[in-house]
């Protein structure tokens, strides 16, 4: 059930109506309803994988309780490793097994046609990386005694499977989301309106911007050898906006939907194309994933902030490679992560100018914003080439063709005047950059008739200018 | 008396909630009304799907030949020139999985069906199948009563505007407002006026056409190939089981398109067809990719014929079908 589908609209209206009809006093019944709705939502992708999400929840729930009861560190470690092994095992089996098998067979020149394809021809469960990371963070936090384990299975199952953020995040921490299942939710008109507005904005970004831009990106990336450097540059820049609007549009719909049920989810994007550096980009892009890797991979690797540049850089490379690999079992994603690691490590090189210690990041904050945006956007766009390409050969071919200035065939926008959706998006987002999303607190600026007019205009734009329906890119992760 | 506030009831709503619900209804009523008007207006636009559906309903019990494929076949086969009663289900972007579902689910409505024709053009095996979200699934359900969703269908699956809203909005604008929606469908749903395209724009000037750039619409996709080939064999097995003869077609493509083909893709496709030839008895082939009977004036663009080209190709197909029958 895609967020941008009629099915989801109907599903949402039904669940929402029953949820509030139950009354605020019946928190447990509301939780049961949310769990059933979430399992239905997930089961409509593939019923078979419901057992997987249920099993993962059970394993982590009891592992955490085990850690809570254990007095010795050794026992706590056993429970933690049990939980981690389960989660990483599931991830490996469903997401990475074929990748390692393919590479192993290629390395030893074994005929792969039969083995890699037919041996373990399994589809990746939707949202696997998201909910696995969420449950892992719960186990680690319980182990570190940052949170106490819950003893209410229903609440924990709801936490793992909450449908607005189940398949593509934001990756929530138990500390933030779990308590929200434990307390009464009161209908809040203001929050509800904000939720609906955020959903509308998310739908606009996904259906009008991302899906329209996808037409041009797909056309260029299906046969990059046919295009000159200008077209490839254009296609790669557009892909950045496609993936941004696709994923942040999804996040807006998820956060807005959660608001309708009285929940608050974490912010996942903060206008990433305004970053001054690649380092800053990761503070604005998929924020919950960055925080996850920072807390559970990077920080434990460096242990304390005073470590040397070399130690920090090593930790950075490990973290960014894993972030790349998190996206999918392909060398292109590994290259994507490595590219980010290289650029961030360069930005962090400590330089001594005169008596001052500076770094490129510090320098970037002092030069005009426009130049730094061009700098960071160029690097991010280059890394996006790895992200979008079928394989590494294709990535390098595109980069080579861009750099060698292959004359462009008669350049055209492919999507004609609809390319204007990009400047329109940038204009709106920059204008409202201090808000969580452009429609926030609209009632403070406009009267109701004007607000309604704005909503109708955006609904019209979605109906009239929606591109061909594309699945959300991050669902595959 | 039971306390109404303890039951599942709208009386549990606060005044604020009731007011919000009322405002939502007020807000969405115009949206819903516009949606249904939009949907109604879209269904009133003449389409080939409606005409094909009519053929299926009225002549289904006499039809002997069913043709499947993508826009290449849709533009290449005009059933008007086939002597035996026939129907063409081909349409833009339609792949084997949609073809197969349409065949399986209309078979009981085509009791005299003897021959089916499938497309295996140059890159067909390397193009991924239509997804379960393919926007035409709603069209197939609405007009052919065929479920290609790979799931149970509901009332909303028959709505057209929810599938590709932008496309249908443009169509409405073109048909009702700008009045520039041009079509000349015959009773089989074949558009006899479909000449517009790159070749006409370049006045059928071969040297200009050869100079112009063409975009490849096929990429090397071994994963799709690995999946599509066994699927195609399933289709052939099904036809064998149902005693249906099969024609495998590849329509003509222009010189510059042929020059741009990936040798690997071509080789893989041809090697599969060799296996088909050896394995099955009930299969016939019509490969017109490099057929020199087709001149520049028969094409709309590099890989689509215009109605004149369709006439020539269909006549060739007709000769084969008559021979088979």
């Amino acid at each position: 059930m895609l967020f941008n589908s009629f099915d989801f609209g109907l599903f949402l209206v039904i669940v929402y109506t029953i949820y509030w009809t139950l009354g605020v006093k019946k928190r447990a019944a509301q939780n049961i309803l949310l769990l059933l709705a979430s399992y239905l939502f997930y089961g409509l992708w593939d019923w078979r994988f419901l057992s997987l999400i249920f099993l993962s929840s059970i394993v982590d729930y009891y592992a955490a309780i085990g850690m809570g009861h254990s007095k010795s560190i050794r026992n706590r470690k056993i429970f933690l490793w049990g939980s981690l092994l389960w989660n990483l095992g599931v991830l490996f089996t469903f997401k990475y097994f074929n990748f390692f098998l393919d590479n192993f067979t290629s390395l030893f020149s074994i005929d792969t046609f039969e083995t890699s394809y037919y041996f373990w021809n399994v589809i990746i469960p939707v949202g696997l990386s998201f909910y696995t990371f969420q449950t892992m963070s719960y186990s680690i936090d319980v182990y570190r005694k940052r949170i106490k384990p819950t003893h209410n299975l229903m609440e924990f199952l709801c936490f793992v499977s909450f449908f607005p953020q189940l398949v593509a995040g934001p990756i929530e921490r138990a500390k933030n989301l779990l308590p929200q299942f434990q307390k009464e939710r009161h209908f809040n008109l203001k929050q509800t309106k904000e939720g609906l507005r955020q959903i509308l904005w998310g739908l606009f970004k996904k259906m009008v911007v991302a899906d329209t831009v996808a037409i041009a990106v797909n056309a260029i990336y299906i046969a990059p050898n046919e295009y000159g450097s200008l077209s490839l540059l254009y296609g790669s820049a557009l892909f950045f906006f496609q993936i941004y609007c696709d994923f942040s549009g999804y996040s807006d719909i998820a956060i807005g939907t959660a608001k309708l049920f009285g929940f608050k989810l974490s912010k996942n994007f903060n206008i990433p194309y305004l970053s001054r550096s690649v380092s800053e980009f990761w503070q604005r892009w998929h924020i919950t994933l960055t925080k996850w890797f920072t807390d559970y991979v990077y920080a434990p690797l460096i242990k304390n902030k005073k470590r040397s540049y070399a130690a920090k850089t090593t930790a950075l490379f490990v973290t960014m490679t894993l972030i790349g690999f998190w996206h999918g079992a392909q060398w292109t994603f590994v290259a994507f992560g490595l590219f980010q690691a290289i650029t961030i490590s360069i930005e962090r090189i400590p330089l001594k100018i005169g008596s001052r210690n500076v770094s490129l990041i510090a320098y970037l904050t002092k030069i005009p914003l426009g130049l730094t945006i061009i700098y960071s956007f160029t690097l991010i766009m280059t890394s996006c080439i790895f992200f979008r390409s079928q394989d590494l050969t294709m990535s390098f071919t595109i980069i080579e063709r861009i750099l060698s200035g292959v004359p462009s065939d008669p350049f055209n926008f492919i999507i004609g005047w609809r390319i204007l959706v990009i400047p329109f998006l940038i204009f709106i987002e920059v204008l409202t950059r201090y808000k969580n999303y452009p429609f926030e607190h609209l009632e403070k600026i406009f009267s109701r008739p004007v607000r309604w007019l704005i909503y109708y205009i955006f609904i019209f734009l979605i109906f009239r200018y929606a591109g061909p329906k594309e699945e959300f890119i991050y669902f595959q992760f | 008396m039971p306390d109404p506030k303890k039951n599942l009831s709208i009386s549990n709503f606060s005044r604020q909630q009731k007011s919000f619900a009322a405002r939502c209804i007020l807000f969405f009523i115009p949206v819903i009304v516009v949606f249904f008007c939009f949907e109604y207006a879209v269904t009133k636009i003449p389409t080939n799907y409606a005409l094909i559906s009519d053929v299926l309903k009225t002549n289904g019990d006499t039809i002997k030949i069913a043709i499947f494929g993508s826009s290449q076949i849709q533009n290449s086969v005009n059933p008007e020139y086939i002597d035996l009663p026939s129907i063409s289900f081909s349409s833009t972007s339609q792949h084997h999985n949609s073809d197969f579902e349409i065949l399986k689910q209309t078979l009981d409505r085509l009791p005299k069906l003897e021959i089916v024709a499938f497309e295996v053009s140059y890159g067909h095996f390397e193009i991924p199948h239509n997804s379960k979200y393919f926007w035409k699934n709603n069209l197939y359900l609405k007009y052919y009563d065929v479920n290609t969703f790979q799931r149970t269908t509901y009332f909303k699956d028959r709505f057209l505007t929810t599938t590709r809203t932008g496309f249908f909005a443009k169509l409405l604008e073109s048909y009702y407002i700008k009045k520039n929606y041009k079509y000349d469908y015959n009773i089989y749903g074949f558009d006899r006026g479909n000449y517009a395209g790159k070749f006409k724009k370049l006045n059928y000037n071969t040297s200009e056409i050869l100079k112009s750039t063409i975009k490849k619409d096929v990429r090397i996709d071994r994963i799709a190939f690995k999946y599509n080939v066994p699927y195609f064999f399933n289709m052939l097995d099904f036809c064998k089981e149902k005693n249906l003869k099969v024609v495998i077609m590849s329509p003509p493509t222009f010189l510059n398109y042929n020059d741009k083909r990936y040798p690997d893709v071509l080789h893989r496709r041809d090697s599969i067809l060799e296996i088909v030839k050896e394995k099955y008895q009930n299969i016939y082939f019509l490969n017109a990719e490099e057929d020199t009977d087709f001149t520049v004036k028969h094409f709309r663009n590099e890989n689509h014929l215009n109605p004149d080209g369709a006439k020539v190709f269909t006549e060739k197909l007709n000769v084969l079908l008559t021979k088979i029958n």
Side-chain angles (χ1 to χ4, degrees):
Chain A
M1 205 189 301
L2 297 173
F3 275 180
N4 54 337
S5 68
F6 183 88
D7 308 38
F8 182 72
L10 196 63
F11 167 84
L12 189 58
V13 170
I14 293 169
V15 177
Y16 177 80
T17 310
I18 299 173
Y19 181 83
W20 289 114
T21 310
L22 285 168
V24 291
K25 297 281 180 200
K26 295 187 175 175
R27 185 178 54 84
Q30 283 182 329
N31 283 350
I32 292 172
L33 175 71
L34 284 180
L35 182 68
L36 291 175
S38 300
Y39 276 24
L40 175 72
F41 176 81
Y42 195 75
L44 287 173
W45 298 104
D46 198 323
W47 284 102
R48 292 167 301 173
F49 294 131
L50 267 180
S51 53
L52 195 65
I53 193 167
F54 181 73
L55 268 176
S56 285
S57 309
I58 294 290
V59 167
D60 290 302
Y61 174 74
Y62 284 107
I65 287 179
M67 280 186 261
H69 286 313
S70 302
K71 296 275 188 266
S72 71
I73 292 180
R74 189 178 159 272
N75 285 350
R76 291 172 67 80
K77 270 192 178 158
I78 290 172
F79 282 113
L80 175 68
W81 278 106
S83 161
L84 293 183
L85 280 176
W86 165 267
N87 285 306
L88 295 173
V90 167
L91 261 184
F92 178 81
T93 310
F94 286 93
K95 196 165 172 176
Y96 299 105
F97 183 80
N98 276 343
F99 173 78
F100 285 108
L101 185 72
D102 275 348
N103 282 288
F104 178 81
T105 48
S106 305
L107 195 65
F108 294 100
S109 308
I110 301 167
D111 182 15
T112 58
F113 188 84
E114 291 296 326
T115 49
S116 63
Y117 189 68
Y118 293 108
F119 183 75
W120 186 239
N121 185 18
V122 68
I123 51 169
I124 302 170
V126 175
L128 178 70
S129 304
F130 289 93
Y131 73 75
T132 309
F133 271 49
Q134 192 159 305
T135 53
M136 272 201 289
S137 77
Y138 170 73
S139 299
I140 299 168
D141 285 351
V142 170
Y143 172 78
R144 291 174 173 177
K145 296 190 178 173
R146 285 186 183 169
I147 52 167
K148 286 184 176 164
T150 177
H151 289 268
N152 186 322
L153 180 61
M154 179 58 64
E155 286 164 2
F156 186 73
L157 293 175
C158 286
F159 158 70
V160 178
S161 64
F162 188 40
F163 75 88
Q165 48 91 233
L166 171 61
V167 289
I171 302 169
E172 287 296 337
R173 302 295 174 81
K175 200 178 169 185
N176 172 43
L177 187 55
L178 198 51
Q180 298 188 53
F181 286 102
Q182 294 165 340
K183 63 176 188 190
E184 282 182 6
R185 271 89 61 179
H186 295 277
F187 178 82
N188 180 327
L189 184 60
K190 200 175 157 219
Q191 192 181 6
T192 305
K193 282 182 187 173
E194 291 294 353
L196 287 173
R197 284 184 204 133
Q198 198 160 0
I199 291 172
L200 183 62
W201 178 245
L203 286 173
F204 172 77
K205 272 204 281 190
K206 163 66 182 157
M207 295 173 75
V208 180
V209 186
D211 289 353
T212 300
V213 160
I215 301 170
V217 176
N218 293 344
I220 292 171
Y221 270 78
I222 199 170
N225 284 324
E226 304 292 309
Y227 290 89
S229 40
L230 193 59
S231 298
L232 290 169
L233 205 60
Y234 167 72
S236 305
L238 281 195
F239 177 65
F240 169 78
F241 283 101
Q242 184 199 346
I243 195 167
Y244 165 61
C245 290
D246 190 286
F247 192 22
S248 70
Y250 167 86
S251 297
D252 280 330
I253 300 169
I255 296 168
T257 305
K259 280 181 184 167
L260 298 182
F261 294 89
F263 288 83
K264 195 164 181 269
L265 298 182
S266 308
K267 191 172 175 173
N268 221 9
F269 288 88
N270 184 20
I271 322 183
Y273 50 82
L274 293 185
S275 306
R276 280 174 173 269
S277 60
V278 179
S279 308
E280 188 187 335
F281 173 80
W282 282 97
Q283 291 158 26
R284 290 169 171 267
W285 174 273
H286 204 174
I287 298 165
T288 54
L289 180 76
T290 312
K291 280 187 177 165
W292 197 101
F293 273 97
T294 306
D295 287 355
Y296 301 114
V297 180
Y298 183 74
L301 282 174
I302 61 165
K303 288 198 176 116
N304 84 60
K305 287 183 180 175
K306 289 181 182 168
R307 293 292 293 271
S308 67
Y309 172 75
K312 282 183 181 173
T313 304
T314 310
L316 175 73
F317 269 79
V318 173
T319 309
M320 294 312 292
T321 308
L322 286 176
I323 286 183
F325 206 45
W326 174 91
H327 286 87
Q330 279 183 45
W331 286 112
T332 49
F333 291 122
V334 175
F336 167 76
L338 277 172
F339 186 86
Q340 306 282 346
I342 293 165
T343 50
I344 296 173
S345 62
I346 292 170
E347 284 178 358
R348 285 180 177 181
I349 293 173
L351 300 167
K352 206 165 175 77
I353 299 176
S355 58
R356 288 182 305 136
N357 285 322
V358 289
S359 65
L360 185 57
I361 300 180
Y363 178 71
L364 285 169
T365 57
K366 286 173 188 157
I367 58 174
L369 181 67
L371 290 177
T372 53
I373 289 176
I374 292 170
Y375 155 79
S376 59
F377 186 77
T378 308
L379 291 174
I380 297 303
M381 188 190 68
T382 310
S383 69
C384 283
I385 295 172
F386 291 104
F387 198 104
R388 178 60 177 79
S389 300
Q390 298 296 320
D391 49 46
L392 284 178
T393 316
M394 184 174 168
S395 311
F396 290 121
T397 306
I398 292 172
I399 293 170
E400 191 194 329
R401 286 179 76 85
I402 290 175
L403 293 177
S404 58
V406 177
S408 269
D409 44 294
F411 176 82
N412 75 71
F413 291 117
I414 302 173
I415 47 174
W417 64 269
R418 281 182 293 169
I419 189 64
L420 292 175
V421 289
I422 301 286
F424 179 68
L425 171 93
I426 296 173
F427 174 73
I428 300 257
E429 285 200 332
V430 171
L431 196 71
T432 59
R433 62 192 175 280
Y434 299 115
K435 295 181 176 186
N436 284 314
Y437 64 99
F439 290 161
E440 195 178 37
H441 307 316
L442 216 55
E443 66 277 3
K444 288 184 182 167
I445 311 166
F446 299 114
S447 63
R448 185 180 298 153
V450 179
R451 289 199 309 269
W452 280 34
L453 184 66
I454 293 171
Y455 305 149
Y456 281 132
I457 288 172
F458 271 83
I459 290 172
F460 169 77
L461 289 176
I462 290 169
F463 267 77
R464 177 62 186 86
Y465 298 109
K469 197 184 274 183
E470 295 255 343
E471 202 163 329
F472 286 93
I473 295 170
Y474 268 70
F475 277 17
Q476 61 185 297
F477 306 141
Chain B
M1 277 279 287
D3 179 359
K5 291 196 171 180
K6 286 187 177 168
N7 296 325
L8 189 70
S9 155
I10 201 156
S11 62
N12 285 339
F13 277 15
S14 64
R15 236 182 75 197
Q16 206 182 28
Q17 282 174 305
K18 282 176 190 163
S19 143
F20 172 69
R23 262 185 237 160
C24 272
I25 291 167
L26 197 65
F27 179 84
F28 282 109
I29 281 176
V31 178
I32 293 164
V33 169
V34 168
F35 170 78
F36 278 102
C37 292
F38 196 93
E39 180 70 23
Y40 178 77
V42 164
T43 55
K44 290 291 150 195
I45 298 174
T47 62
N48 55 328
Y49 302 98
L51 291 162
I52 295 166
S53 168
D54 287 344
V55 174
L56 184 63
K57 277 177 201 152
T58 52
N59 304 337
D61 50 359
T62 59
I63 285 169
K64 287 190 168 187
I65 295 151
I67 291 146
F68 299 89
S70 69
S71 57
Q72 279 186 264
I73 297 295
Q74 185 188 15
N75 284 223
S76 302
V77 179
N78 181 355
E80 205 178 312
Y81 302 116
I82 298 176
D83 294 335
L84 296 163
S86 58
I87 187 167
S88 173
F89 288 107
S90 54
S91 77
T92 308
S93 303
Q94 188 172 300
H95 210 318
H96 280 154
N97 59 332
S98 302
D99 293 343
F100 196 25
E101 284 305 324
I102 295 170
L103 171 64
K104 283 192 288 187
Q105 293 178 47
T106 54
L107 201 54
D108 58 342
R109 286 174 268 167
L110 303 168
K112 293 201 173 151
L113 189 69
E114 289 175 6
I115 304 168
V116 288
F118 294 123
E119 176 185 2
V120 182
S121 49
Y122 143 73
H124 226 60
F125 286 138
E126 317 253 344
I127 298 170
H129 277 181
N130 300 132
S131 88
K132 57 181 175 181
Y133 304 112
F134 185 38
W135 71 279
K136 288 196 174 180
N137 291 345
N138 294 47
L139 287 163
Y140 299 142
L141 187 68
K142 186 176 178 70
Y143 290 111
Y144 309 156
D145 207 16
V146 167
N147 176 3
T148 46
F149 287 90
Q150 302 165 39
R151 59 165 170 79
T152 314
T153 59
Y154 308 96
F155 71 97
K156 56 94 193 169
D157 293 325
R158 286 176 192 268
F159 289 148
L160 301 183
T161 43
T162 53
T163 59
R164 205 175 169 190
T165 320
F167 169 81
F168 284 111
K170 203 173 166 187
L171 196 65
L172 276 181
E173 199 177 287
S174 167
Y175 185 71
Y176 290 105
I177 300 167
K178 293 183 180 166
K179 299 196 186 295
N180 59 2
Y181 177 67
K182 287 182 189 140
Y183 59 90
D184 181 18
Y185 292 125
N186 64 17
I187 55 162
Y188 301 98
F190 181 87
D191 187 356
R192 291 172 297 198
N194 194 11
Y195 287 90
K198 183 176 158 185
F199 281 27
K200 190 180 177 189
K201 215 170 163 183
L202 296 173
N203 289 322
Y204 302 102
N205 182 328
T206 308
S207 59
E208 286 294 313
I209 290 165
L210 292 176
K211 264 194 276 173
S212 70
T213 50
I214 64 163
K215 303 294 176 214
K216 279 187 179 166
D217 55 353
V218 171
R219 65 180 166 83
I220 297 170
D221 189 339
R222 291 191 179 87
I223 297 171
F225 179 84
K226 280 179 183 177
Y227 180 82
N228 291 357
V229 169
Y231 191 94
F232 186 62
F233 278 101
N234 278 346
M235 290 168 69
L236 298 182
D237 289 338
F238 175 85
C239 293
K240 190 177 171 186
E241 195 187 306
K242 299 287 177 190
N243 285 322
L244 295 170
K245 292 165 191 159
V246 176
V247 174
I248 293 176
M249 306 175 286
S250 186
T253 39
F254 199 61
L255 297 168
N256 50 351
Y257 185 90
N258 292 342
D259 290 345
K260 288 254 178 182
R261 290 178 301 184
Y262 293 112
D264 278 3
V265 172
L266 200 59
H267 172 73
R268 272 197 294 278
R269 191 275 308 259
D270 290 345
S271 62
I272 294 300
L273 293 184
E274 281 302 315
I275 298 170
V276 168
K277 218 178 268 181
E278 283 169 24
K279 193 176 170 193
Y280 299 93
Q281 307 300 316
N282 58 338
I283 312 280
Y284 304 85
F285 296 87
L286 179 61
N287 185 344
E289 279 163 17
E290 293 173 30
D291 191 330
T292 47
D293 289 348
F294 293 90
T295 67
V296 66
K297 294 218 165 168
H298 288 128
F299 287 88
R300 275 179 58 216
N301 56 35
E302 287 83 2
N303 57 345
H304 292 90
L305 291 175
N306 64 24
D308 296 340
K311 184 173 184 245
V312 179
F313 182 77
T314 313
E315 280 168 354
K316 284 175 186 268
L317 178 66
N318 186 44
V319 171
L320 177 67
L321 293 170
T322 314
K323 204 168 98 187
I324 296 169
N325 193 51

